[in-house]
């Protein structure tokens, strides 16, 4: 009898504790700091040394006008996507999201983000299309709609170690003009130790994607749909594999495993285990921070005979407005401020702080940005590449993440010699075809 | 027996409550919590597994298409299931044996016992970022300590994490550094064994090995059972190290089931498909667990 | 008697030697973390045209010792705020989890009621559902309850019994001798009294284990704060640690320093908790 009555106490106790918890816990405090402004919630992944720079941009925007307050929230990159998606599904949404992975096509197709042309005035839209560098438009415009503003693109060019070039009698004025010449120079720069192991590599290509634009190819067709298995992609991959073969698959694998993880100071070009290295413009800042005295120069990747000059695969850091944003106008105002659409001087300042490439020449001409270019002459070649039509974007479309993962596997299998160059591309094409079919059958688009 | 139906019902309810009510009250916190916080998400996720759902737009019903696609034309599904199954088959016995062995050693009253306990628990506390990077270095084919030691005895070690054959086994081996949690549970279990049982065994003339076999291990079986069940459930959901260290590579050799599920759900935005994967995994894991529970009567002793 | 004492001592020595040898691999992750946190850039990352040096035990000793990473790391995040939030969540969750789980476990272990076996299996089965697929509905649920942006999603569920602990404690309660409970029952004690006066004191090692695991669970939880909090003032240490993982590197040494600081309190808690395991049940076993 008693046994029946008394557990009630325990249940009652727990119920009481829960109620107390709900009552006593502080309710969510308002995040806004400035009174009478419409909040713009901004989620980004910029941590470490980048965070204060991003927060500086937010503060300058808040000071530049009286309508909106941008409230930044830094989200560790480990969970940024899942937080954004779960929140969007659950009805909580930021107003601006920054992203650096190639997901724009997927997000657009799934209706996660808002086309910006709905929000821009016709004049703004026209000005953007007229002014923006071609590569900016390739990234931002998806199936005819401006889906994002590009805060920065990563463009690749060759970093040359001048001290290494000197060993073989070359200098910044005598760089290879073709990819074939580059290989000849690289051969002279390779160094082996007494056991025949690679100690230094003249030039080691990383992914075949990096070379597709130079071989005249792209990853999407004119309509903006992914395009895989093209002759140019095959040629680029065959060339990359030929370089691994030349050095020896096993020797390269061993060499690569002796390389430290790339964390700033161990950047390949700084560590000096490569003489020529294809990398993004952001390395200029890193080199400046970690090895200010390094003697190097930068030039666009020389094209193969019959290929395209000033070519590069690119990645974008973009800003988007989620569908569920409660303040899309404020969001757009902030994004425009960031890239400098209305105020090129402010935009130039933002871009040089991040050491990024501006979206149009007008912002590049800003005083602050010009000063930055004078201080970092190695940044100039990248800016010169911006007007090139030969810069390409990664595959887009609803399955772009899947395609990116499969492309990664192409590199993994060919770098070890487990598949031939053409086999790997065939497998990529086949895998993507199967996935497209599956997606159709399962009712996605 | 002869009373009319209506009054029987009332008295039956009352009798049922008298017999079962206290028990239900004891477990009521969980019952309420389960209904409130888990019931709906579970049902919803079962529903989503029969839909095309990209997290963002509303789901729409596609029947069993996700399931049939998984079972019939997704080689990666089968591969990831196999990779995971193989891992569980190795990691669970390995961690069980090592966990018990460590707990037995740490249960002996030696100098510095408390410090040793802390030392062996340490790997479970060190954040996984640190552990992951350490192992990438240790298992480096050229510079790593492991291959260095192997070279010293004349063996050229494999490329471990960057070798398609060895990468999954490297991760299974690494699971040993996560044994601290179950070790602590074994230790608590050992301390729960009444000392009079040992004294009785000694009076019967049992030596150390005999009392280990006839007292310690049988008395530890409820805890062993617990750790094996949790180990199986955990192994089938193995994710973190593979995600941090190998990202499923090289060439898909460490694409564990949970990792593939994660990719489908959050990277390819196919939550319907991922939900179907989750419930297939659920059936697999609960089947294995159910087998373990039935086997319980044969080997798990509750000392009364 | 004397003979067995001697072999006892010999066995103990063997055990001790085994423990010392096994300590090396066990200590490696922590040693590496601490040693990296005390190094300068140039010691960790080979530069200047040289390949990285082979990993050896000698390279674990930083030369010279660089302490700078610690103040750098600690100033980079609002440490005191994070620590306070984390401690608060730990205390609330340990209380909730141990209290509710032990009550439920007693029900499963010692009470008789209809459908017990099935309900127990259902409870274990809930652990087999990957949380990736329930995350979206769970989030929607908490938001509908108005809990988004508060600590409730991170705390309230622990008051309704944690399946892992319920299972563990059930196993423990089942092993405890029935006689004492039976004796109290004959004296007219209620089930509640038997639970609180007889069972709980006997289960200290198991309860301490649960408390330890809940502490570690809350301490390390990154997903919860990530999804449900949107105010930097509310974040926890585990969240702060993730903030050091910058995409472009550069903060590597600070991360290791932060990870070391993050680990220290857990070591202390464990060191204190493991004494509970030693005391444990020994008093009831006739040793007294």
């Amino acid at each position: 009898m008693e046994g029946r009555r008394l557990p009630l106490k325990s249940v009652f106790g727990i119920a009481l504790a829960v109620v107390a918890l709900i009552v006593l816990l502080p309710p969510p405090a308002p995040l806004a700091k400035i009174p009478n402004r419409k909040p713009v919630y901004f989620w980004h992944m910029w941590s470490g040394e980048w965070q204060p720079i991003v927060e500086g941009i937010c503060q300058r925007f808040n000071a530049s006008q009286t309508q909106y307050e941008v409230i930044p929230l830094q989200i560790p990159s480990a969970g940024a996507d899942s937080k954004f998606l779960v929140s969007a599904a659950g009805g909580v949404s930021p107003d601006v999201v920054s992203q650096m992975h190639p997901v724009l096509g997927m997000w657009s197709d799934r209706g996660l983000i808002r086309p910006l042309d709905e929000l821009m005035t016709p004049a703004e839209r026209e000005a953007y299309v007229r002014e923006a560098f071609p590569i900016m438009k390739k990234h931002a415009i998806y199936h005819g709609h401006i889906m994002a503003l590009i805060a920065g693109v990563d463009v690749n060019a060759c970093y040359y170690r001048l001290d290494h070039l000197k060993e073989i009698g070359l200098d910044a004025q005598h760089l290879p003009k073709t990819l074939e010449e580059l290989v000849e120079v690289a051969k002279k720069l390779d160094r082996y130790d007494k056991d025949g192991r690679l100690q230094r590599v003249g030039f080691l290509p990383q992914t075949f994607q990096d070379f597709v634009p130079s071989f005249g190819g792209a990853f999407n067709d004119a309509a903006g749909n992914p395009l895989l298995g093209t002759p140019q992609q095959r040629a680029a991959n065959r060339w990359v594999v030929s370089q691994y073969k030349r050095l020896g698959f096993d020797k390269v694998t061993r060499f690569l495993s002796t390389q430290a993880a790339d964390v700033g100071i161990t950047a390949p070009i700084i560590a000096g285990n490569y003489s020529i290295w294809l990398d993004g413009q952001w390395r200029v800042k890193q080199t400046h921070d970690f090895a200010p005295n390094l003697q190097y120069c930068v030039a666009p990747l020389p094209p193969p005979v019959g290929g395209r000059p000033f070519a590069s695969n690119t990645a974008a850091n973009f800003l988007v407005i989620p569908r569920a944003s409660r303040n899309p106008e404020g969001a757009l105002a902030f994004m425009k401020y960031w890239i400098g659409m209305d105020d090129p001087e402010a935009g130039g300042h933002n871009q040089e702080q991040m050491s990024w490439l501006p979206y149009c020449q007008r912002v590049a001409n800003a005083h602050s940005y010009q000063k930055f270019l004078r201080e970092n002459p190695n940044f100039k070649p990248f800016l010169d590449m911006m007007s090139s039509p030969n810069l390409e974007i990664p595959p887009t479309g609803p399955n772009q993440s899947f395609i990116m993962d499969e492309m990664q596997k192409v590199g993994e299998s060919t770098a070890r010699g487990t598949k031939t160059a053409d086999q790997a591309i065939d497998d990529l094409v086949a895998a993507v075809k199967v996935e497209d079919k599956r997606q159709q059958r399962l009712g996605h688009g | 027996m002869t009373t009319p139906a209506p009054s029987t019902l009332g008295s039956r309810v009352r009798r049922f409550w008298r017999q079962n009510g206290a028990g239900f009250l004891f477990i009521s916190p969980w019952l309420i919590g389960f209904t409130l916080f888990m019931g709906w998400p579970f049902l919803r996720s079962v529903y989503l597994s029969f839909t095309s759902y990209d997290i963002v737009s509303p789901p729409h019903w596609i029947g069993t298409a996700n399931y049939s696609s998984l079972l019939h034309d997704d080689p990666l599904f089968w591969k990831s299931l196999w990779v995971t199954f193989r891992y569980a088959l190795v990691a669970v016995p390995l961690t069980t044996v090592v966990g018990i062995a460590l707990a037995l050693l740490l249960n002996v009253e030696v100098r510095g016992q408390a410090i040793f306990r802390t030392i062996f628990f340490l790997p479970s506390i060190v954040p996984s970022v640190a552990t992951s990077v350490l192992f990438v270095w240790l298992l480096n084919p050229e510079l790593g300590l492991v291959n260095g030691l192997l070279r010293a005895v004349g063996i050229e070690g494999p490329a471990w994490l960057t070798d398609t054959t060895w990468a999954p086994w490297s991760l299974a081996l690494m699971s040993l550094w996560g044994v601290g949690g179950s070790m602590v549970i074994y230790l608590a279990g050992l301390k729960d064994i009444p000392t009079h049982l040992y004294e009785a065994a000694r009076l019967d003339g049992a030596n150390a090995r005999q009392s280990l076999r006839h007292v310690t291990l049988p008395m530890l079986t409820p805890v062993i059972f617990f750790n094996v069940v949790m180990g199986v459930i955990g192994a089938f959901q193995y994710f973190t190290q593979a995600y941090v260290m190998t990202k499923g590579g090289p060439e898909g050799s460490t694409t564990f089931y949970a990792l593939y599920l994660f990719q489908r759900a959050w990277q390819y935005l196919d939550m319907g498909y991922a939900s179907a994967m989750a419930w297939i995994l659920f059936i697999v894991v609960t089947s294995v667990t159910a087998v373990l529970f039935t086997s319980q009567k044969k080997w798990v002793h509750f000392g009364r | 008697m004397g003979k067995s004492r001697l072999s006892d001592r010999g066995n103990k020595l063997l055990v001790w030697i085994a423990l010392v040898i096994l300590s090396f691999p066990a200590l490696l992750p922590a040693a590496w973390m601490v040693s990296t946190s005390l190094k300068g850039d140039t010691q960790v990352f080979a530069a200047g045209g040289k390949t990285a040096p082979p990993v050896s035990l000698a390279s674990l000793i930083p030369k010279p010792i660089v302490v700078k990473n610690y103040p750098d790391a600690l100033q980079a995040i609002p440490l005191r705020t994070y620590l306070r939030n984390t401690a608060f969540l730990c205390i609330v969750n340990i209380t909730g989890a141990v209290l509710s789980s032990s009550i439920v476990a007693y029900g499963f272990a010692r009470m008789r009621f209809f459908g017990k076996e099935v309900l127990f299996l259902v409870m274990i089965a809930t652990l087999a559902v990957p949380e990736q697929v329930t995350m979206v509905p769970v989030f929607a649920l908490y938001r509908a309850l108005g809990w988004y942006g508060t600590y409730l999603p991170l705390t309230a569920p622990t008051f309704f019994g944690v399946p892992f602990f319920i299972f563990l404690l059930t196993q423990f309660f089942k092993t405890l001798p029935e006689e004492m409970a039976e004796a109290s029952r004959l004296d007219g004690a209620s089930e509640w009294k038997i639970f609180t006066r007889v069972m709980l004191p006997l289960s200290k090692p198991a309860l301490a284990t649960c408390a330890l695991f809940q502490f570690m669970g809350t301490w390390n939880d990154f997903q919860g704060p990530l999804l449900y909090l949107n105010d930097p003032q509310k974040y926890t240490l585990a969240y702060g640690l993730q903030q050091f993982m910058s995409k472009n590197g550069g903060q590597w040494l600070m991360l290791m320093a932060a990870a070391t600081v993050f680990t220290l309190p857990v070591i202390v808690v464990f060191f204190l908790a493991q004494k509970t395991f030693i005391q444990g049940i020994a008093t009831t076993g006739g040793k007294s």
Side-chain angles (χ1 to χ4, degrees):
Chain A
M1 284 303 273
E2 255 199 317
R4 177 155 40 105
R5 221 169 30 222
L6 279 159
L8 271 173
K9 249 194 215 167
S10 66
V11 176
F12 190 66
I14 288 188
L16 206 70
V18 174
V19 172
L21 190 69
I22 293 175
V23 175
L24 290 179
L25 276 186
L31 298 170
K33 291 189 187 75
I34 314 172
N36 303 324
R37 296 248 189 133
K38 241 183 134 185
V40 176
Y41 296 101
F42 169 43
W43 290 2
H44 67 89
M45 289 185 268
W46 297 103
S47 63
E49 69 258 45
W50 299 97
Q51 194 174 349
I53 301 176
V54 168
E55 280 167 6
I57 296 176
C58 299
Q59 276 163 18
R60 287 198 294 276
F61 171 73
N62 290 342
S64 75
Q65 41 76 50
T66 54
Q67 250 183 309
Y68 307 112
E69 180 189 357
V70 169
I71 299 162
L73 182 65
Q74 193 271 332
I75 298 168
S77 60
D81 282 7
S82 48
K83 179 179 171 78
F84 176 43
L85 291 165
V86 169
S87 303
V92 177
S93 178
D95 301 300
V96 182
V97 171
S98 86
Q99 174 59 274
M100 44 193 151
H101 303 135
V103 292
L104 193 68
M106 182 167 77
W107 284 9
S108 306
D109 270 328
R110 309 289 167 116
L112 185 57
I113 51 175
R114 228 176 137 152
L116 302 183
D117 10 22
E118 287 173 5
L119 299 160
M120 287 170 146
T121 64
E124 277 172 346
R125 215 161 43 220
E126 188 272 326
Y128 184 81
V129 173
R130 175 166 41 77
E131 282 188 324
F133 289 127
I135 184 58
M136 293 291 179
K137 285 186 277 191
K138 279 186 190 170
H139 276 293
I141 300 177
Y142 181 69
H143 290 320
H145 293 283
I146 303 175
M147 297 305 299
L149 291 187
I150 311 301
V153 286
D154 289 338
V155 178
N156 291 333
C158 285
Y159 286 69
Y160 295 88
R161 283 281 295 235
L162 291 174
D163 48 344
H164 294 188
L165 289 187
K166 208 171 169 187
E167 290 171 22
I168 57 165
L170 288 178
D171 58 37
Q173 274 68 49
H174 299 88
L175 299 175
K177 301 241 162 18
T178 64
L179 197 57
E180 290 75 11
E181 276 177 46
L182 179 80
V183 173
E184 290 312 312
V185 169
K187 276 183 193 165
K188 289 183 205 151
L189 290 164
D190 294 337
R191 291 287 178 273
Y192 296 84
D193 69 4
K194 56 181 186 335
D195 302 322
R197 295 183 192 181
L198 272 171
Q199 213 167 22
R200 184 177 88 186
V201 176
F203 179 70
L204 190 71
Q206 296 177 79
T207 68
F208 82 95
Q209 294 97 299
D210 287 341
F211 296 87
V212 170
S214 293
F215 277 83
F219 302 97
N220 301 285
D221 62 18
N225 296 312
L227 191 63
L228 297 169
T230 64
Q232 295 87 345
Q233 288 172 14
R234 287 174 187 278
N237 196 34
R238 273 198 294 266
W239 182 80
V240 168
V241 176
S242 76
Q243 295 307 300
Y244 280 74
K245 212 182 224 165
R246 176 174 71 76
L247 292 160
F249 292 114
D250 191 47
K251 275 189 182 152
V252 175
T253 310
R254 280 171 179 284
F255 171 76
L256 286 175
S257 63
T258 60
Q259 300 305 304
D262 176 1
V263 285
I265 193 163
T266 45
I269 198 68
I270 300 178
N273 300 327
Y274 302 89
S275 305
I276 309 169
W277 185 249
L278 188 67
D279 213 334
Q281 81 293 334
W282 52 278
R283 276 285 185 220
V284 174
K285 177 181 160 64
Q286 273 214 338
T287 311
H288 179 267
D289 291 349
F290 290 108
N293 298 320
L294 191 78
Q295 294 299 304
Y296 73 103
C297 73
V298 178
L301 177 71
V305 172
R308 297 193 294 179
F310 295 101
S312 169
N313 189 21
T314 64
N317 290 289
F318 55 85
L319 301 166
V320 290
I321 305 181
R323 254 299 151 203
S325 157
R326 297 229 179 90
N327 187 3
E329 295 80 17
L332 184 66
F334 172 58
M335 284 155 60
K336 277 163 55 190
Y337 176 83
W338 185 313
I339 68 168
M341 271 176 79
D342 294 338
D343 184 350
E345 209 42 62
H349 185 43
N350 296 339
Q351 295 304 78
E352 61 89 359
Q353 289 271 296
M354 299 291 282
S355 75
W356 277 353
L357 292 159
Y359 88 102
C360 70
Q361 192 59 45
R362 192 161 54 96
V363 176
N365 293 341
H367 291 298
S368 47
Y369 202 79
Q370 286 297 319
K371 182 166 172 275
F372 166 74
L373 283 178
R374 280 194 298 278
E375 283 161 8
N376 296 279
N378 278 319
F379 214 80
K380 187 90 182 4
F382 292 103
L383 186 65
D384 292 342
M385 287 175 78
M386 289 304 284
S387 49
S388 161
N390 300 337
L391 305 183
E392 298 295 348
I393 65 170
T396 178
N399 294 336
Q400 65 185 138
S401 293
F402 181 87
I403 298 174
M404 294 302 288
D405 284 353
E406 290 299 315
M407 281 185 161
Q408 164 91 16
K409 287 184 194 162
V410 169
E412 282 171 357
S413 57
T414 51
R416 273 159 233 278
T418 47
K419 283 182 192 170
T420 67
D422 280 315
Q423 249 171 2
I425 298 282
D426 287 342
D427 290 352
L428 164 73
V429 173
V432 172
K433 199 173 268 170
V434 169
E435 180 65 13
D436 281 344
K437 266 203 195 123
R438 187 198 337 274
Q439 293 298 333
Q440 261 161 25
R441 205 169 47 245
L442 299 184
H444 299 297
Chain B
M1 286 294 153
T2 49
T3 29
S7 71
T8 334
L9 189 67
S11 68
R12 269 188 193 163
V13 169
R14 244 170 291 152
R15 205 175 58 197
F16 180 84
W17 181 249
R18 205 177 308 137
Q19 282 169 353
N20 302 296
F24 278 121
L25 277 175
F26 264 100
I27 68 158
S28 63
W30 174 73
L31 271 179
I32 294 167
F34 176 70
T35 324
L36 274 184
F37 300 124
M38 290 174 166
W40 186 73
F42 282 1
L43 289 175
R44 173 85 180 159
S45 148
V46 172
Y47 163 73
L48 289 175
S49 75
F50 293 100
T51 67
S52 169
Y53 178 49
D54 62 12
I55 307 179
V56 183
S57 13
H60 62 95
W61 184 265
I62 53 167
T64 55
N66 284 325
Y67 289 94
S68 66
S69 177
L70 273 168
L71 298 175
H72 294 125
D73 53 27
D74 190 346
L76 201 50
F77 163 77
W78 291 106
K79 189 180 177 185
S80 65
L81 195 58
W82 168 236
V83 167
T84 309
F85 189 74
R86 217 173 40 175
Y87 172 83
L89 217 56
V90 173
V92 174
L94 199 65
T95 49
T96 307
V97 171
V98 173
I100 296 172
L102 276 181
L104 287 173
L105 288 178
L106 289 172
N107 203 36
V108 180
E109 278 174 44
V110 294
R111 195 179 286 268
Q113 194 186 26
I115 292 168
F116 280 123
R117 283 178 179 165
T118 313
I119 287 175
F120 288 104
F121 193 59
L122 256 181
S124 311
I125 314 175
V126 171
S128 60
V129 248
T131 320
S132 301
V133 182
L134 168 74
F135 274 94
V136 169
W137 273 102
L138 286 181
L139 296 174
N140 183 301
E142 288 293 304
L143 310 170
L145 188 65
V146 174
N147 277 4
L149 291 176
L150 286 176
R151 223 168 273 141
V153 293
I155 304 169
E156 186 57 46
W160 301 109
L161 289 168
T162 48
D163 183 296
T164 45
T165 318
W166 285 93
W169 303 120
S170 309
L171 295 175
L173 192 71
M174 275 182 60
S175 70
L176 280 180
W177 273 260
V179 89
S182 58
M183 180 196 82
V184 166
I185 294 172
Y186 287 126
L187 264 177
L190 286 171
K191 280 301 166 194
D192 249 3
I193 301 173
T195 34
H196 65 79
L197 290 180
Y198 289 109
E199 262 149 43
R202 199 152 70 190
L203 288 179
D204 288 350
N207 61 21
R209 188 182 298 173
Q210 281 164 331
S211 74
L212 172 71
R213 233 192 105 186
H214 297 290
V215 179
T216 313
L217 287 182
M219 290 301 288
L220 208 54
T221 45
V223 181
I224 296 176
F225 176 73
F226 170 83
N227 272 330
V228 169
V229 170
M230 296 313 298
V232 167
I233 293 176
F236 274 98
Q237 299 189 31
Y238 177 80
F239 176 78
T240 311
Q241 305 286 10
Y243 180 66
V244 176
M245 294 176 63
T246 58
K247 295 256 185 307
E251 296 179 60
S253 57
T254 58
T255 304
F256 285 85
Y257 197 88
L259 190 65
Y260 184 44
L261 192 155
F262 177 88
Q263 279 180 335
R264 281 281 164 193
W266 305 108
Q267 288 173 3
Y268 307 160
L269 299 190
D270 201 347
M271 189 54 97
Y273 203 74
S275 301
M277 283 185 74
W279 289 101
I280 291 176
L281 182 71
F282 176 79
I283 290 166
V284 171
V285 177
T286 41
S287 307
V288 177
T289 314
V291 171
L292 285 171
F293 263 90
T294 8
S295 77
Q296 189 181 200
K297 290 180 188 78
K298 293 218 175 88
W299 63 277
V300 179
H301 300 264
F302 291 107
R304 290 196 181 155
Chain C
M1 214 50 198
K3 216 175 181 182
S4 101
R5 279 264 163 79
L6 197 71
S7 82
D8 247 26
R9 208 180 288 165
N11 282 339
K12 275 187 182 176
L13 187 68
L14 282 179
V15 168
W16 193 82
I17 290 169
L19 287 175
V20 169
I21 292 169
L22 289 170
S23 288
F24 281 97
L27 272 172
L28 215 48
W32 187 82
M33 175 177 72
V34 175
S35 112
T36 310
S37 74
L38 289 171
K39 285 178 176 176
D41 278 336
T42 49
Q43 291 177 65
V44 180
F45 312 115
K50 284 188 215 101
T51 45
V55 179
S56 66
L57 290 178
S59 68
L60 277 177
I61 300 159
K63 273 182 284 188
I65 291 178
V66 180
V67 195
K68 184 173 128 337
N69 300 320
Y70 283 84
D72 282 359
L74 299 182
Q75 276 157 19
I77 55 166
L79 184 73
R80 204 173 294 176
T81 311
Y82 287 178
L83 187 63
R84 195 189 58 215
N85 295 340
T86 311
F88 168 78
L89 287 174
C90 283
I91 291 167
V92 171
N93 283 352
I94 290 172
T95 315
V98 174
L99 193 71
S100 59
S101 303
S102 59
I103 293 167
V104 175
Y106 184 80
F108 276 125
R110 287 303 173 92
M111 306 294 284
R112 252 178 232 143
F113 55 90
F114 178 75
K116 185 169 95 168
E117 311 285 311
V118 175
L119 283 173
F120 193 69
L121 279 175
V122 168
M123 189 200 69
I124 305 295
T126 59
L127 293 167
V129 184
E131 64 169 7
Q132 303 290 353
V133 299
T134 51
M135 216 184 262
V136 172
V138 167
F139 183 92
L141 178 71
Y142 288 152
R143 185 170 172 268
L145 291 170
W147 290 4
Y148 177 74
T150 73
Y151 284 136
L152 284 168
L154 314 183
T155 48
T158 55
F159 283 78
F160 295 90
V162 179
F164 182 86
F165 302 146
I166 298 175
F167 185 15
L168 179 64
L169 289 170
T170 304
Q171 298 298 93
F172 270 98
F173 289 160
K174 278 184 181 171
T175 56
L176 292 179
E178 181 72 31
E179 299 89 46
M180 287 176 152
E182 211 45 64
S184 315
R185 209 164 280 139
L186 289 176
D187 288 349
S190 67
E191 282 301 323
W192 179 250
K193 208 162 241 165
I194 295 169
F195 167 64
T196 52
R197 300 281 157 79
V198 183
M199 295 302 258
L200 285 188
L202 288 178
S203 316
K204 266 190 207 154
L207 294 173
T209 310
C210 290
L212 174 74
F213 283 133
Q214 181 61 51
F215 169 70
M216 286 178 54
T218 306
W219 185 264
N220 290 319
D221 183 24
F222 164 64
Q223 193 84 42
L226 170 79
L227 289 181
Y228 295 108
L229 302 179
N230 55 359
D231 181 353
Q233 285 300 310
K234 284 206 172 77
Y235 283 150
T236 57
L237 286 173
Y239 193 92
L241 192 63
Q242 286 285 334
Q243 287 176 313
F244 283 102
M245 273 174 258
S246 159
K247 191 121 193 151
N248 293 333
Q251 292 201 310
W252 190 243
L253 304 173
M254 264 158 77
L255 171 66
M256 287 302 148
T260 307
V261 174
F262 181 78
T263 311
L264 272 176
V266 191
I267 298 176
V268 173
V269 166
F270 178 79
F271 192 79
L272 296 177
Q274 61 86 31
K275 280 190 176 157
T276 324
F277 309 144
I278 300 170
Q279 290 163 356
I281 202 168
T283 45
T284 59
K287 235 185 182 176
S288 53

